[in-house]
Amino acid sequence: MVERVIVIDDDALLCEMLCESMELLGAAWCRTFVSLAALQQSREALTADLAILDINLGSGKPTGLDVAAYLHEHDFAGRIVFLTGHARNHPLVRAACDLASTRILQKPTSLATLAGLLEGDHG
Amino acid sequence: MDSSGQAHRSESAGIRRSLTHGVYLTVCGNLLMAAILGPWAAPRPVITLLGAHAALAAGVFAFLRFRPRLTAGWVNALDALLIVPYFLSIWVAQGRLELAGLDHLLAPKLLAFGWAFVVPKSYRLHALFILGLGVEGVLIWFRQQALGATTAAAEPGFTVLAVWMALSLLVLRYRQRAYEHQVVELRTRNAVLSEVAGLILRVRDRANSPLQRLVLAGELLERGRPASAAVVASIRQSVAELEALHAQFQGFEPFVAWQPEHLRLDPERKTEGE
C-alpha cells in the first residue's frame, strides 16, 4: 500500500484536489509542487512512494520528464506516474512512454484509478 | 493565403502560360512556314494567310496581357482562335510544301503532336482538333491522288498513325493532369484536416485541467466529503476557464456553413430511469 504521495502540476488547484483525493483514499500524506524548482527545495519529496507528474509544467519551464530525471538521479525509490491531457502522439507524451517503469494516465482520471495507484496497481 | 487559393492561382497561371506557349508556337510556326514557302512559289495569298494567322496570335497575346481573369469559355475560345486557322492554311499551303521539297502531310503530323503537348484547358477540344487534322490529312492525300501528284508510299497510314500517337499522348497527359489535381486536392484536404485537428487538440488541452478538477470535485462530493475550500475554488476556477474557452469560440461563428447533420445541436440525453 502506497502511503506517501507527491503531486507535481503547474495547476495549483488541481494539485490540491489530487492530494485531497489521495488523502481521502488512504494516503498517509501528500505533498504538492508546482515546478521542478519547488520540488528541489524538499528533501521529504524523495522519500515518497508515488510521484504523480504532469508532463507539461508550463511554457519554457522544465517538464515532467525533467522532474522524472531529477527523481531518478536522486535515487527516488517510488513509482512515477505521468498525468497528462495531451494526445498520445504528442512528443513529450511519447518520450514519457519511452521511460522505463513509468505509467501514463490520461486526464480526466477518476478516484477509482487513483485508488488503484495507492493499492499498487501497476496497470 | 489558404492552400486551396494557392492551388487555384497556380492552375490559372498554368492555363495562362499554356495559352502563351500556344501563341509563341503559332507565331513561330507561321513565320517559319512563310519563310519556307516564300522563295519558291511566291504564293501571295498563302503568305498573307500565314501572316494574318501570326497577327491573330499576337492579338491573343495582347488580350492575355490586358485581361486579368479568364473563364473556361474564354480560354477555349482563345485556344480555338489560335488553332482553327491552321486547318485553312494547311489546306491552302499543301501543294506549296511539295514544291518546297517537303512532305505535304508534314504539317498535320507536327501540329498533332504540338496540340497534344500544349493544352491550355480542354483536352476534349484538342482531341477533336487532332482528329480533325487526321481527317484533313487523309482528304489532302485523296486530293493529291486525284490530281496525280506524287505522294509518299506510307501515306496516309503514316499520318493516321501519327494522329493516333498524338491522341495517345493527349490521353496520357490528361490522366497525368487528373492525378496532379487529385494530389493537390488531397494535400489541401490534408492541410485543412491537420489544422482542424490541431485546433481541436489545443482546445482539448485547455479543457483538460478544468475537466479533471470537476471530475475529482464531483466524485469527492458524491462520496459525502464536505465541500472544502479547495473543492469550491476548483469548481469556480474550472467554470471560469470553460466559460473563457467558450467565449473564444464565438470568433469562429462567421466561418461556419451549417449542414443538416449539424442542426441537432445537443448530444442525445437519456433521462434517469430510461
Side-chain angles (χ1 to χ4, degrees):
Chain A
M1 176 76 183
V2 170
E3 293 200 335
R4 292 156 296 180
V5 181
I6 53 172
V7 178
I8 297 104
D9 196 310
D10 58 333
D11 182 337
L13 272 175
L14 180 56
C15 276
E16 277 191 59
M17 293 290 293
L18 283 166
C19 262
E20 198 169 325
S21 305
M22 283 303 199
E23 283 169 355
L24 173 77
L25 293 167
W29 63 253
C30 181
R31 301 286 180 266
T32 64
F33 304 95
V34 290
S35 64
L36 174 60
L39 177 78
Q40 285 167 334
Q41 305 298 313
S42 167
R43 290 197 147 272
E44 195 185 25
L46 296 172
T47 66
D49 306 307
L50 172 67
I52 299 176
L53 315 180
D54 182 20
I55 289 185
N56 185 358
L57 294 175
S59 175
K61 293 186 177 161
T63 65
L65 295 172
D66 298 316
V67 176
Y70 169 82
L71 291 174
H72 282 307
E73 279 167 21
H74 290 79
D75 304 321
F76 179 74
R79 282 185 65 208
I80 294 177
V81 174
F82 286 102
L83 183 62
T84 184
H86 288 303
R88 289 206 173 269
N89 59 0
H90 188 284
L92 284 175
V93 179
R94 275 164 48 183
C97 286
D98 292 340
L99 290 178
S101 67
T102 53
R103 185 176 167 192
I104 312 279
L105 286 184
Q106 282 287 329
K107 282 180 188 171
T109 194
S110 64
L111 281 185
T113 309
L114 296 178
L117 291 177
L118 289 182
E119 284 156 17
D121 169 19
H122 285 247
Chain B
M1 188 194 301
D2 65 298
S3 41
S4 64
Q6 274 178 340
H8 179 71
R9 277 176 181 74
S10 158
E11 191 186 355
S12 300
I15 288 172
R16 201 168 273 274
R17 205 165 38 240
S18 191
L19 264 177
T20 310
H21 288 161
V23 167
Y24 293 153
L25 283 177
T26 305
V27 171
C28 294
N30 279 295
L31 292 180
L32 185 70
M33 214 159 153
I36 291 170
L37 297 177
W40 276 273
R44 189 169 292 274
V46 176
I47 297 295
T48 307
L49 183 62
L50 297 176
H53 192 185
L56 184 70
V60 170
F61 183 77
F63 183 81
L64 284 176
R65 301 281 291 182
F66 292 110
R67 180 138 188 139
R69 276 171 180 251
L70 290 173
T71 61
W74 268 110
V75 174
N76 289 334
L78 292 172
D79 193 19
L81 203 61
L82 288 174
I83 285 177
V84 169
Y86 274 115
F87 289 99
L88 184 61
S89 52
I90 288 170
W91 187 262
V92 173
Q94 53 177 307
R96 313 292 179 184
L97 277 169
E98 200 182 6
L99 286 174
L102 295 166
D103 170 13
H104 55 266
L105 289 175
L106 181 66
K109 291 187 201 86
L110 289 178
L111 282 173
F113 283 102
W115 294 350
F117 270 111
V118 183
V119 186
K121 183 79 184 170
S122 171
Y123 282 81
R124 280 187 194 165
L125 194 65
H126 274 234
L128 206 68
F129 286 142
I130 291 171
L131 276 173
L133 274 179
V135 171
E136 187 173 19
V138 173
L139 287 177
I140 288 172
W141 182 83
F142 275 119
R143 188 184 151 184
Q144 296 298 94
Q145 289 278 310
L147 293 173
T150 52
T151 48
E155 294 295 355
F158 198 55
T159 299
V160 172
L161 180 70
V163 163
W164 180 78
M165 284 170 69
L167 280 174
S168 304
L169 181 66
L170 190 73
V171 170
L172 280 176
R173 295 204 62 235
Y174 171 75
R175 285 188 182 157
Q176 187 193 356
R177 191 185 274 192
Y179 286 136
E180 282 169 2
H181 275 182
Q182 237 175 328
V183 168
V184 168
E185 208 171 286
L186 284 174
R187 278 193 188 147
T188 306
R189 191 183 292 184
N190 199 32
V192 170
L193 280 178
S194 171
E195 215 167 291
V196 170
L199 176 71
I200 289 171
L201 286 182
R202 283 199 296 279
V203 170
R204 195 183 73 165
D205 282 352
R206 286 194 56 190
N208 275 324
S209 289
L211 186 60
Q212 176 68 81
R213 280 187 237 119
L214 287 174
V215 165
L216 291 179
E219 291 198 36
L220 287 171
L221 293 175
E222 264 177 14
R223 289 184 177 220
R225 176 96 169 172
S228 65
V231 169
V232 173
S234 274
I235 293 172
R236 283 206 178 127
Q237 178 68 21
S238 302
V239 170
E241 283 174 22
L242 291 174
E243 277 177 346
L245 193 59
H246 183 267
Q248 277 193 350
F249 278 117
Q250 283 176 344
F252 288 94
E253 280 176 8
F255 302 107
V256 73
W258 293 107
Q259 304 293 327
E261 62 266 28
H262 298 148
L263 295 179
R264 171 177 279 175
L265 293 172
D266 294 319
E268 268 183 53
R269 289 194 182 95
K270 279 194 174 178
T271 51
E272 233 171 280
E274 211 178 336

